[in-house]
Amino acid sequence: MGPSLIATSGSSRATERPHHLSPVTQIAYTSTVRSMNSPSGRTFADEARRRQIIDCAIEVIAQEGFAKATLARIAERADLAKSVVLYHFTNKDELVEQVLATVSATSYEFVRSRVATSSTAWERVRGSIEAVVEFVAAHPQHALAGLEGWNQARSLPGRVKLAQASAAGPSGIEETLIEGQLSGEFGEFDPHVLAVLFQQAVDAAVLEAALRPDTDLTAFAAELIAVFDRAIRRRP
């Protein structure tokens, strides 16, 4: 999922953008929200067809991997001609961007609803880990497709977007860590480094679920929470 799945609720910006998302998926999500809030000129049938193609792309990417998820293979899964896919999406890059946006929006709403009432920075961190792992268990294909797409975004062609997004400011989880330090709730550490570790931990949950379907994800989340508890909370 790529995606550091954390929705913070302690700042005025918390409900304005999906803080749980990676920089690239935040860009995709914002782009999608803007398109949803403005006239697109598409008919209801067009929107339904686009959703069908995106859903099939998520399935193919999750089940067969990014490299094998060609437009032809996605069209086959959707029982459509490749030309129909190209009518709705200029190329694979555009389709994958919409896949990331769809996964990001779905995971954002899932996590946000579970941490919206958190009153402290630690509650948001802990609640976000629990919610992320719950999302992975409930939507394994979305999570894995998001991670596949995110890994592709981190390849050389995607680094320009990553650099632009990073220059815009700290991620949501990093903001939460900084907030916790300022309030005295968290100890001394580099919030950027810990935010990166949080991202990697989230990715690990997605991979664990994909590679070992019988994994106890609740126990997995509990271990992650214990690790971050020791790493960031201030001790007497």
Side-chain angles (χ1 to χ4, degrees):
M1 222 161 13
S4 156
L5 288 150
I6 180 166
T8 58
S9 58
S11 69
S12 61
R13 295 195 298 165
T15 58
E16 296 175 7
R17 68 185 177 96
H19 287 317
H20 73 292
L21 311 178
S22 65
V24 167
T25 47
Q26 282 189 21
I27 292 172
Y29 176 87
T30 302
S31 174
T32 298
V33 169
R34 285 174 179 168
S35 67
M36 289 171 61
N37 291 335
S38 61
S40 64
R42 301 189 191 103
T43 66
F44 178 82
D46 283 342
E47 292 292 354
R49 182 67 75 196
R50 283 171 64 88
R51 287 195 296 271
Q52 177 196 7
I53 294 169
I54 291 169
D55 287 344
C56 289
I58 288 172
E59 292 177 5
V60 174
I61 293 172
Q63 294 171 11
E64 303 180 24
F66 185 89
K68 292 184 179 180
T70 63
L71 291 182
R73 182 70 188 91
I74 293 168
E76 181 183 1
R77 176 64 63 93
D79 196 22
L80 298 170
K82 181 179 176 181
S83 59
V84 175
V85 175
L86 286 171
Y87 171 80
H88 292 282
F89 301 95
T90 305
N91 49 39
K92 182 178 176 179
D93 286 345
E94 182 185 350
L95 177 53
V96 170
E97 182 175 287
Q98 292 306 305
V99 164
L100 286 173
T102 298
V103 171
S104 299
T106 303
S107 62
Y108 169 61
E109 292 302 327
F110 189 98
V111 175
R112 183 186 62 82
S113 66
R114 286 157 176 76
V115 300
T117 59
S118 300
S119 59
T120 67
W122 171 244
E123 285 180 0
R124 286 194 293 278
V125 172
R126 182 188 63 202
S128 295
I129 293 173
E130 292 171 339
V132 167
V133 175
E134 187 180 344
F135 176 82
V136 172
H139 303 278
Q141 291 198 139
H142 276 67
L144 191 54
L147 182 60
E148 285 275 340
W150 167 239
N151 285 336
Q152 180 64 23
R154 286 187 288 199
S155 65
L156 186 58
R159 289 178 192 167
V160 173
K161 281 188 176 181
L162 277 173
Q164 292 172 342
S166 297
S171 66
I173 182 61
E174 190 171 337
E175 289 179 343
T176 298
L177 296 174
I178 293 170
E179 177 189 334
Q181 287 181 320
L182 292 175
S183 69
E185 190 178 352
F186 296 159
E188 295 299 322
F189 55 81
D190 186 325
H192 177 71
V193 173
L194 267 295
V196 171
L197 290 177
F198 186 96
Q199 169 69 58
Q200 297 303 316
V202 169
D203 288 354
V206 178
L207 287 175
E208 184 69 14
L211 297 174
R212 301 178 180 84
D214 60 342
T215 295
D216 183 342
L217 291 178
T218 300
F220 192 94
E223 289 294 334
L224 290 183
I225 290 169
V227 168
F228 278 91
D229 185 0
R230 292 190 294 271
I232 68 177
R233 297 183 79 185
R234 184 179 295 281
R235 303 301 178 194

